[in-house]
Amino acid sequence: MQFGVFSVSDITRDPVTGTTPSEAERIQGAIAIAKKTEEVGLDVYAIGEHHNPPFFSSSPTTLLAAIAGQTERIVLSTATTLITTNDPVRLAEEYAMLQHVSNGRMDLMLGRGNTAPVYPWFGQDIRQGLPLALEHYNLLHRLWREDVVDWEGRFRTPLQGFTSTPRPLDDVPPFVWHGSIRTPEIAEQAAYYGDGFFANNIFWPKEHYIRLIEFYRQRFAHYGHGTPEQAIVGLGGQAFIAKRSQDAIRAFRPYFDEAPVYGNGPRMEDFMAGTPLSVGSPQEVIDKTLTFRESFGDYQRQLFLVDHAGLPLGTVLDQLELLGGEVVPVLRREMAKNRPESVPDAPTHASLVAAKYGDAEPRQPRPRPNRGDNVTGASPYEDSDPAVQARLPLVG
Amino acid sequence: MSTTRRLVIVSGGTSDPSSTRMLADRIAQRAVIRAAEAGFDLELSVVELRPLAADLASAQVTGFAPATVQEAIDRLAQADAVVVATPVYKAGISGLVKSFVDVLDQDLLIATPVVLAATAGTARHALVVDEQLRSLFAYLRALPTPTSVFAASDDWGSSSLSERIDRAATELVVLIEAGVRDRMREASWHRYQHTFGGAASAPGFDAVDLDSDLMRLAAGGR
């Protein structure tokens, strides 16, 4: 079971001090938060992707690469990477590169994005968001698994004889999670490929997410990847912790009341009662988080939202101390109890390499020499499968 | 087939007593009488929107319904027919009624017979019910009765209001008795847009259509 944090990358005015951090402060803060995440013993740091103010994370792989260079153990991920408005070819290239520079300490979570103007800014149409996401991922999946890809679809210019470089580390593609809250097609795609499925579990009562996760589990089994209980499920959640419950409530209330998403709406107490938000003592956060397992079954990854709504960096780092020091150790112990042996952990690069090669040496692709035309044809690597021939367009 | 059907009143009236609620009650009571004549019982329940006003505002900004609102939605999901009544404010339907409709899944009321009703201080607002409520419920793919009921202040002294109430109630009972809602849903549920896990998924309807173009694309697109 992995525990970690995920960030939206919002730059929000601190409602207590009245000051808004600069982009520079928030970006350096994100790196500090990621390093702290590792220091306190958590497993995963994930960052969102946005292309408009007041968010800073337009280039997640650059940020995650910097963090990879300053950490040793944590898995770096995204929450989410936009599979709609990004070119899947660029995603294949950028995340394979991140996989190499992080020595395999990464995976990614795909999502559609719901900021309408982002689509036209990147030449896409939000009304086609779902087929766009599905088609793009079908291509991305192939680009990481086939040395040479011929492809034609509805949304992207066709590819003939295309090789995405670098090939994934050890020729093992990054593990992919698919994030969705009410789209069965996304759950179906995750199940079809045996990928992970993530429910953000933030804004709504958890009952909203149960049916989609159950659907994903059933379809995962249908496609022969294991039993429903062996499907790879991740959940979000949000917590604000203090030693004493009343201190947590008092400290977090101004941030809740002006939070960009739910602020100026429900009372914090009502939102806590109705959604997975917990604000309270370590024990209260533990108790609430343990209800997720009862609702969704044994799962693989729990991410908490901790750096949002204008919370200052110092407070976020303190939160991580409490999360890593007092909450997660208990959660690890409790969630391990009665967990069947057959329920797998979240895949890591090491486990995927072992699954693919066993004790054998992983493939290390070595390219053939440049022929002078900057392409290497149908067999770009010394060990590319000669049976795979690209259908290059005929000229003349 | 059960001989008891559920009729849910949705009232946007805000005073007590409210003429909007009174109009809705009269339509519902008339429908009970007409149903009894047709040989079945109508079980009435009321969704008063006034006590939900703050929670509806909260639902608008959070995107999910608090328990009180969810209870009202669940009741509508089980309704065989609905009476909706709104006051007219500033030449339009009440914002409270619109707020409630805004949080309903768009498949919640598919093919559900509905009587549309509105009250106002002047007959000059008479078309609000047909021009605004009717188009709103058309969007929801509900089935408004041919007769809608509008009552301005002076209509309460006119027997023609009772006649319109009776006509609308009779139309409603005919639609309920014919089982139009269930038959339309059984015939073509998959041809409407649905919200996965929404309140509309009655037993037998919650299976996801695995044979759609999008589902094939999800499964590799081959």
Side-chain angles (χ1 to χ4, degrees):
Chain A
M1 180 81 185
Q2 295 174 331
F3 292 89
V5 297
F6 64 148
S7 172
V8 187
S9 91
D10 60 311
I11 306 177
T12 304
R13 172 181 165 275
D14 181 335
V16 175
T17 65
T19 57
T20 303
S22 68
E23 290 177 337
E25 286 166 340
R26 271 292 271 147
I27 291 166
Q28 289 305 322
I31 294 173
I33 288 165
K35 288 163 73 174
K36 190 74 168 181
T37 301
E38 173 163 288
E39 188 190 313
V40 301
L42 301 182
D43 311 308
V44 182
Y45 175 85
I47 185 84
E49 177 181 334
H50 291 272
H51 297 275
N52 52 305
F55 305 95
F56 66 79
S57 182
S58 59
S59 305
T61 53
T62 310
L63 179 69
L64 293 177
I67 294 169
Q70 300 178 55
T71 53
E72 293 178 350
R73 195 181 51 75
I74 48 168
V75 172
L76 306 170
S77 188
T78 57
T80 61
T81 291
L82 303 178
I83 186 63
T84 45
T85 47
N86 283 305
D87 180 355
V89 169
R90 292 294 292 135
L91 291 179
E93 294 174 340
E94 288 176 0
Y95 284 89
M97 192 70 190
L98 177 64
Q99 189 192 25
H100 277 272
V101 302
S102 66
N103 289 317
R105 276 196 293 126
M106 58 77 70
D107 53 35
L108 67 160
M109 190 202 304
L110 302 178
R112 272 147 65 192
N114 62 1
T115 309
V118 173
Y119 286 77
W121 287 336
F122 289 89
Q124 300 293 356
D125 177 353
I126 195 171
R127 292 167 301 175
Q128 298 297 324
L130 183 53
L132 183 62
L134 298 172
E135 180 179 299
H136 273 181
Y137 183 62
N138 288 336
L139 172 57
L140 177 60
H141 192 268
R142 287 186 60 194
L143 290 169
W144 278 335
R145 285 165 177 80
E146 299 170 32
D147 281 358
V148 181
V149 170
D150 297 336
W151 178 89
E152 190 166 354
R154 276 175 67 193
F155 297 108
R156 190 198 184 283
T157 195
L159 297 169
Q160 254 115 30
F162 180 75
T163 298
S164 175
T165 57
R167 302 308 297 149
L169 178 65
D170 300 318
D171 204 21
V172 170
F175 187 71
V176 170
W177 302 79
H178 299 256
S180 175
I181 46 182
R182 61 193 326 177
T183 310
E185 287 83 357
I186 296 296
E188 174 79 0
Q189 192 171 39
Y192 174 75
Y193 287 114
D195 295 340
F197 185 76
F198 190 93
N200 93 342
N201 201 27
I202 293 274
F203 302 126
W204 291 344
K206 62 182 184 317
E207 289 68 27
H208 278 253
Y209 308 102
I210 289 176
R211 284 177 57 168
L212 197 52
I213 287 181
E214 187 51 35
F215 176 76
Y216 158 71
R217 288 187 183 280
Q218 297 298 332
R219 299 301 291 170
F220 182 90
H222 169 83
Y223 285 114
H225 300 298
T227 65
E229 294 73 29
Q230 290 171 329
I232 307 298
V233 172
L235 294 175
Q238 55 179 337
F240 189 89
I241 318 161
K243 294 270 183 197
R244 297 190 315 163
S245 184
Q246 60 268 41
D247 294 340
I249 300 262
R250 191 178 316 115
F252 189 60
R253 188 184 302 283
Y255 297 93
F256 178 88
D257 284 348
E258 294 192 27
V261 177
Y262 40 66
N264 305 304
R267 285 175 64 244
M268 188 167 81
E269 283 75 2
D270 294 339
F271 203 76
M272 281 166 60
T275 77
L277 170 67
S278 39
V279 180
S281 67
Q283 190 58 47
E284 285 171 307
V285 175
I286 289 164
D287 290 345
K288 185 136 187 181
T289 308
L290 287 175
T291 66
F292 299 172
R293 179 195 187 189
E294 291 160 25
S295 300
F296 301 104
D298 287 301
Y299 60 110
Q300 281 70 26
R301 176 174 283 183
Q302 173 66 54
L303 300 183
F304 291 98
L305 176 65
V306 294
D307 75 321
H308 64 124
L311 288 164
L313 179 60
T315 304
V316 174
L317 297 179
D318 291 345
Q319 286 297 305
L320 285 170
E321 290 281 359
L322 288 163
L323 194 63
E326 304 200 16
V327 171
V328 166
V330 180
L331 289 176
R332 284 192 203 282
R333 208 163 54 232
E334 290 298 317
M335 290 206 186
K337 281 183 191 163
N338 304 320
R339 187 182 173 101
E341 286 286 323
S342 56
V343 172
D345 287 330
T348 60
H349 184 69
S351 75
L352 294 170
V353 167
K356 180 168 181 180
Y357 299 104
D359 293 332
E361 277 298 303
R363 177 187 180 216
Q364 299 299 338
R366 298 168 205 279
R368 294 183 193 283
N370 184 349
R371 303 182 305 190
D373 56 4
N374 281 344
V375 289
T376 39
S379 301
Y381 296 94
E382 291 174 0
D383 62 348
S384 287
D385 183 353
V388 178
Q389 290 293 328
R391 290 187 301 277
L392 296 172
L394 296 174
V395 178
Chain B
M1 188 183 290
S2 158
T3 53
T4 299
R5 303 303 192 87
R6 299 189 186 90
L7 174 60
V8 177
I9 295 168
V10 177
S11 170
T14 53
S15 51
D16 185 16
S18 141
S19 59
T20 301
R21 171 67 191 277
M22 193 153 58
L23 181 61
D25 283 351
R26 290 202 57 202
I27 296 165
Q29 283 156 6
R30 202 65 213 159
V32 168
I33 291 166
R34 289 299 186 200
E37 290 168 4
F40 65 95
D41 291 333
L42 269 186
E43 178 189 300
L44 295 185
S45 67
V46 182
V47 173
E48 278 278 9
L49 297 181
R50 183 194 161 106
L52 302 183
D55 284 343
L56 282 171
S58 162
Q60 298 271 344
V61 296
T62 61
F64 80 89
T68 51
V69 176
Q70 190 59 48
E71 198 267 332
I73 293 173
D74 292 344
R75 199 117 51 91
L76 275 188
Q78 301 299 322
D80 295 296
V82 178
V83 173
V84 180
T86 179
V88 173
Y89 297 141
K90 305 290 184 284
I93 65 168
S94 134
L96 195 53
V97 171
K98 182 62 165 58
S99 297
F100 182 58
V101 171
D102 284 346
V103 302
L104 303 180
D105 289 332
Q106 60 187 10
D107 58 356
L108 188 75
L109 293 178
I110 286 175
T112 305
V114 183
V115 175
L116 306 173
T119 58
T122 159
R124 290 188 183 90
H125 291 309
L127 279 176
V128 164
V129 61
D130 279 328
E131 290 188 339
Q132 297 185 18
L133 271 187
R134 192 169 287 274
S135 54
L136 183 59
F137 282 80
Y139 175 80
L140 295 176
R141 306 288 182 260
L143 204 58
T145 54
T147 299
S148 50
V149 184
F150 173 82
S153 300
D154 47 5
D155 283 315
W156 295 97
S158 154
S159 61
S160 69
L161 175 61
S162 298
E163 284 164 24
R164 292 203 303 280
I165 286 170
D166 185 49
R167 206 168 69 205
T170 304
E171 291 164 358
L172 187 73
V173 165
V174 168
L175 287 169
I176 298 169
E177 192 186 8
V180 174
R181 176 182 183 272
D182 291 347
R183 289 175 62 190
M184 279 192 184
R185 288 179 169 217
E186 276 158 26
S188 55
W189 183 252
H190 280 309
R191 296 161 75 184
Y192 302 96
Q193 257 190 9
H194 298 293
T195 309
F196 181 81
S201 14
F205 289 139
D206 60 352
V208 176
D209 180 9
L210 295 168
D211 200 31
S212 66
D213 289 346
L214 282 173
M215 275 298 183
R216 279 190 289 274
L217 187 59
R222 301 178 192 201

